[in-house]
């Protein structure tokens, strides 16, 4: 049976987005997204774990007994998270200090174990790697959007301190969108995260409903045209 790669990409980025569709990983989503830079760093770290864990689970799926598969998957994920934690500490230490405990908590991110169990354990390595990449990019996109909304409304900037947290090569991302803005503190605090996430979830539901309506209209028009042709 052929693999629907387009479906995998669409599911990861939009239809089955970790945050906006599944409602998973909300703890780091709300905790680290006071800026878009923090969201980007957390998202990329999680993406790395997702891709490699899916690859490893897919490669050993026929060798692991179903009775012990969950402990084995968690051990693999914990090992990968430890390596990512050490890498961030070594190469982007400022970002490591900002993200803090939430890097280690990637181990208990339901999305990672969920993709290992529901997809990687049932598919070959290439589709599994793509699934991990798309789910990770979808998660990263959600964090960056949420962090960007909170940062712009809270302080009038976008990707503030990117050069400090991610490296000097990211300095071009630092933008001041609203000069002399005094800030809206609520959006940077935890209640602002809940509010922004709620509005973003509502926006996605509206877009999905409009897309479904458009598809139904096109289907009816096609059926009508076919009937007239017959």
């Amino acid at each position: 049976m052929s693999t629907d790669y387009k479906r995998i990409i669409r599911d990861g980025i939009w239809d089955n987005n970790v945050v906006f569709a599944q409602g998973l990983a909300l703890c780091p989503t709300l905790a680290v997204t006071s800026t878009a830079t923090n969201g980007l760093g957390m998202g990329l770290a999680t993406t790395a774990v997702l891709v490699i864990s899916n690859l490893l689970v897919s490669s050993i799926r026929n060798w692991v007994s179903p009775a012990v598969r969950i402990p084995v998957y968690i051990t693999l994920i914990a090992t990968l998270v430890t390596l990512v934690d050490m890498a961030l500490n070594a190469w982007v230490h400022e970002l490591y200090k900002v993200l803090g405990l939430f890097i280690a908590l990637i181990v208990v991110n339901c999305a990672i174990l969920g993709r290992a169990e529901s997809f990687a354990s049932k598919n070959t390595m290439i589709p599994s790697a793509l699934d991990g990449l798309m789910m990770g990019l979808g998660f990263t996109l959600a964090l960056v959007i949420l962090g960007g909304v909170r940062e712009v409304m809270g302080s009038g900037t976008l990707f503030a301190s990117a050069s400090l947290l991610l490296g000097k090569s990211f300095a071009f991302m630092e933008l001041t969108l609203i000069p002399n803005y005094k800030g809206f503190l609520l959006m940077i605090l935890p209640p602002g995260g809940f509010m922004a996430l709620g509005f973003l979830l509502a926006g996605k539901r509206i877009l999905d409903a409009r897309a479904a309506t458009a598809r139904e209209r096109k289907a009816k028009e096609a059926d009508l045209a076919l009937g007239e042709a017959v």
Side-chain angles (χ1 to χ4, degrees), residues 7-18 131 134-139:
R7 180 76 258 175
I8 293 174
I9 294 172
R10 184 176 176 85
D11 275 350
I13 299 296
W14 186 259
D15 289 346
N16 203 24
N17 185 279
V18 171
D131 177 77
M134 291 302 107
M135 284 292 168
L137 292 180
F139 181 61

Side-chain angles (χ1 to χ4, degrees), residues 35 147-148 151-160 175-178 181:
T35 69
E151 183 180 355
V152 170
M153 295 184 66
S155 58
T157 61
L158 187 62
F159 291 105
L175 301 173
T176 299
L177 301 181
I178 310 176
Y181 182 55

Side-chain angles (χ1 to χ4, degrees), residues 46-204:
T46 305
T47 300
V49 176
L50 267 166
V51 173
I52 301 174
S53 65
N54 269 19
L55 271 172
L56 292 176
V57 169
S58 177
S59 66
I60 65 173
R61 71 187 193 281
N62 296 323
W63 301 344
V64 178
S65 169
V68 297
R69 68 186 189 284
I70 299 301
V72 170
Y73 297 165
I74 292 176
T75 301
L76 288 174
I77 294 169
T79 302
L80 293 172
V81 171
T82 301
L83 294 175
V84 169
D85 184 84
M86 295 171 65
L88 289 175
N89 191 14
W91 292 319
V92 279
H93 185 66
E94 294 300 323
L95 179 64
Y96 174 82
K97 290 193 296 184
V98 171
L99 298 180
L101 177 64
F102 293 101
I103 300 173
L105 289 178
I106 295 176
V107 175
V108 294
N109 188 326
C110 298
I112 298 176
L113 181 59
R115 298 320 296 174
E117 172 67 14
S118 65
F119 194 94
S121 64
K122 300 178 178 65
N123 292 274
T124 56
M125 294 178 65
I126 294 178
S128 297
L130 180 63
D131 177 77
L133 178 61
M134 291 302 107
M135 284 292 168
L137 292 180
F139 181 61
T140 303
L141 178 65
L143 264 62
V144 170
I145 291 175
L146 180 58
V149 169
R150 295 178 65 187
E151 183 180 355
V152 170
M153 295 184 66
S155 58
T157 61
L158 187 62
F159 291 105
S161 303
S163 59
L164 176 63
L165 299 181
L166 301 175
K168 294 181 180 179
S169 59
F170 290 87
F172 72 95
M173 299 172 62
E174 299 177 357
L175 301 173
T176 299
L177 301 181
I178 310 176
N180 302 318
Y181 182 55
K182 295 182 179 179
F184 184 26
L185 181 60
L186 177 64
M187 294 307 299
I188 301 176
L189 297 176
F194 282 99
M195 292 172 59
L197 179 60
F199 283 115
L200 290 173
L201 289 173
K204 183 181 185 299

